[in-house]
Amino acid sequence: MDDSAVDDSAVDVRFVLASASPARLKTLRGAGVEPEVIVSGVDEDNITAESPGELARLLATLKARAVVASLTEHATVLGCDSVLELDGVAYGKPGTPDVARERLRSMRGRSGVLHTGHCLIDTNSKRELRELESTEVFFADLTDDEIDAYVATGEPLVVAGSFTVDGLGGPFVTGIQGDYHNVVGVSLPLLRRMLADVGIPWPALWRSTTPFAYDESEAGRYDDTRGGVERAKAAALAVHSLLPKGGRVLELAVGTGIVGAELVALGNLVHGVDLSSAMLRRARVRLPGHVAAADAAKLPIADRRCDAVVAVWFLHLLEDSDAALAEVARVLRPDGVFVTTTDKSDAGRYADGRGLNDTRAQDAITHLVARAAHHGLTLDGATTFPGPPRNTDQTPIYPLVRFRRT
């Protein structure tokens, strides 16, 4: 078949990076790829292997396998780990200033080999690929003062081999022989070949990004940056006032489960779905056994099974909310209700002393009423709840509306 006839957009990829390395994430983003980030938790200090290269490959494999074991849905997972080999000895992260200083002194004026292990596990095809890329790195003849100053920045303490080529350590690398990106932490040409081996064309990763695929860092601070428990309680009370009593509630984009947990405390039976693994790990603590990975536009729920569907701070994120509204209508029983926030952006703009946004948002009330009616959902209730004070110390008031399934 002619390669030009292959439709890369038809390949749906959930791509996960099993690494906490900011450099690897930046490298992938620079190549147009926005992965989910799930940190493996593998204890690198207690792993040994026959050679530095094998150690890098083994660590990458253990990271990928650990993350795959935590998943509840299919994904393509990449684990990476880098090790510097100097005189046949493997050097990972030094950890302390004294160790970093000693290593840099032994490296100056010499060359070493930076090994990066890559392990790609594709759960759809049930394939695991393990590869190693090695690049020779040449180091400048650093002075003691330069070494002391570099160690004082803290950078060499947390990177393999005690140096970076893309950061503060860049001026101390006089040359490389091999793949530059491999020294940063992930070989893009190698990754492209590995993906091809499991049937995933590289351009498919450009289409697999999503604006709400929150990584571990964002998920960890999500609650605090969105008003915390106080706003969650206010939202839950408002939602609860519009819900039928004793019904089954499905929350779209459940996030960390902070609102869902408050709804449970008010006596509701709540199930939640989300696309972000980082968010779901937190939601599972608050709603154990009641959350799942799913797209709001492709809900894994049979027709007419829900008494209520809830969407708090979600529809405004979508490029097109119509598919989600269609799914809401499908899973709601007759006379069931859909409760959602609306005009979120404009509420914030008012609180900041600004005017309306001229661009129609997907949660704009006029847009929602028209599209919801198309799917048999009729507006029949509304309330509001307060958010935390914003830049002008004004409290935004968020509208909450209810549509009923006819």
Side-chain angles (χ1 to χ4, degrees), residues 9 45 74 89 102-103 146 156-157 159 179 189 237 244 255 258 273 279 318 370 386 395 406:
S9 64
D45 294 333
H74 286 301
V89 178
E102 180 183 353
R103 289 186 184 176
E146 285 175 322
L157 277 63
V159 291
D179 181 3
L237 282 169
I258 191 169
V273 295
M279 290 291 206
L318 302 179
T395 298
T406 55

Side-chain angles (χ1 to χ4, degrees), residues 219-239:
R221 60 194 181 105
Y222 186 86
D223 291 347
D224 290 339
T225 58
R226 302 310 197 277
V229 174
E230 181 179 354
R231 187 166 78 153
K233 285 183 176 180
L237 282 169
V239 169

Side-chain angles (χ1 to χ4, degrees), residues 15 25 27-35 191 202 205-206 208-209:
F15 184 61
L25 179 59
T27 298
L28 290 168
R29 283 175 170 170
V33 179
E34 185 67 40
L191 176 58
W202 181 263
L205 297 189
W206 297 337
S208 64
T209 59

Side-chain angles (χ1 to χ4, degrees), residues 294-332:
D295 188 336
K298 299 177 182 178
L299 293 172
I301 297 172
D303 296 355
R304 301 184 178 188
R305 292 298 179 89
C306 299
D307 298 294
V309 178
V310 172
V312 179
W313 307 309
F314 171 56
L315 295 182
H316 68 287
L317 295 171
L318 302 179
E319 292 184 5
D320 185 353
S321 59
D322 201 61
L325 291 174
E327 281 293 270
V328 167
R330 181 182 67 79
V331 303
L332 278 176

Side-chain angles (χ1 to χ4, degrees), residues 16-366:
V16 177
L17 175 62
S19 171
S21 167
R24 290 191 182 103
L25 179 59
K26 182 179 179 181
T27 298
L28 290 168
R29 283 175 170 170
V33 179
E34 185 67 40
E36 292 182 42
V37 176
I38 303 178
V39 181
S40 67
V42 171
D43 184 0
E44 302 176 25
D45 294 333
N46 295 321
I47 307 299
T48 60
E50 294 181 357
S51 68
E54 285 305 309
L55 176 60
R57 183 155 40 192
L58 175 59
L59 287 169
T61 301
L62 293 176
K63 287 181 178 181
R65 288 177 178 175
V67 168
V68 167
S70 72
L71 299 179
T72 57
E73 63 283 337
H74 286 301
T76 303
V77 179
L78 173 67
C80 291
D81 199 89
S82 297
V83 172
L84 177 69
E85 180 179 356
L86 195 68
D87 296 330
V89 178
Y91 293 102
K93 301 179 183 71
T96 69
D98 287 342
V99 173
R101 192 175 293 108
E102 180 183 353
R103 289 186 184 176
L104 287 165
R105 286 174 178 167
S106 67
M107 291 159 50
R108 57 185 172 189
R110 304 180 61 196
S111 69
V113 178
L114 195 289
H115 301 286
T116 297
H118 299 67
C119 179
L120 188 74
I121 301 178
D122 182 60
T123 64
N124 285 288
S125 62
K126 296 181 174 60
R127 293 189 64 191
E128 177 181 289
L129 306 181
R130 298 180 296 277
E131 299 289 349
L132 181 70
E133 187 73 16
S134 301
T135 305
E136 188 172 8
V137 184
F138 299 86
F139 302 104
D141 190 6
L142 282 70
T143 67
D144 287 345
D145 287 343
E146 285 175 322
I147 290 175
D148 290 341
Y150 185 38
V151 171
T153 68
E155 182 182 86
L157 277 63
V158 293
V159 291
S162 310
F163 79 98
T164 65
V165 70
D166 60 329
L168 297 176
F172 306 137
V173 176
T174 60
I176 63 171
Q177 185 173 337
D179 181 3
Y180 167 84
H181 291 111
N182 187 60
V183 182
V184 179
V186 55
S187 172
L188 297 178
L190 175 59
L191 176 58
R192 173 181 167 272
R193 295 194 299 270
M194 295 173 76
L195 287 165
D197 283 346
V198 296
I200 300 174
W202 181 263
L205 297 189
W206 297 337
R207 298 177 172 89
S208 64
T209 59
T210 173
F212 41 86
Y214 298 106
D215 61 16
E216 283 291 340
S217 175
E218 176 65 15
R221 60 194 181 105
Y222 186 86
D223 291 347
D224 290 339
T225 58
R226 302 310 197 277
V229 174
E230 181 179 354
R231 187 166 78 153
K233 285 183 176 180
L237 282 169
V239 169
H240 179 71
S241 71
L242 298 177
L243 292 177
K245 293 183 179 179
R248 178 179 296 179
V249 180
L250 173 68
E251 185 180 0
L252 305 182
V254 69
T256 64
I258 191 169
V259 174
E262 296 298 332
L263 286 172
V264 171
L266 292 169
N268 299 283
L269 174 61
V270 179
H271 302 275
V273 295
D274 205 296
L275 277 176
S276 168
S277 295
M279 290 291 206
L280 286 172
R281 267 191 297 282
R282 289 158 176 80
R284 289 186 181 110
V285 175
R286 289 179 167 135
L287 302 168
H290 290 270
V291 297
D295 188 336
K298 299 177 182 178
L299 293 172
I301 297 172
D303 296 355
R304 301 184 178 188
R305 292 298 179 89
C306 299
D307 298 294
V309 178
V310 172
V312 179
W313 307 309
F314 171 56
L315 295 182
H316 68 287
L317 295 171
L318 302 179
E319 292 184 5
D320 185 353
S321 59
D322 201 61
L325 291 174
E327 281 293 270
V328 167
R330 181 182 67 79
V331 303
L332 278 176
R333 62 169 177 76
D335 206 40
V337 299
F338 174 46
V339 178
T340 180
T341 47
T342 181
D343 294 311
K344 179 179 186 294
S345 296
D346 283 335
R349 291 175 68 87
Y350 279 129
D352 286 342
R354 298 175 290 161
L356 284 170
N357 189 344
D358 292 334
T359 302
R360 186 181 70 179
Q362 290 298 304
D363 71 336
I365 186 62
T366 53

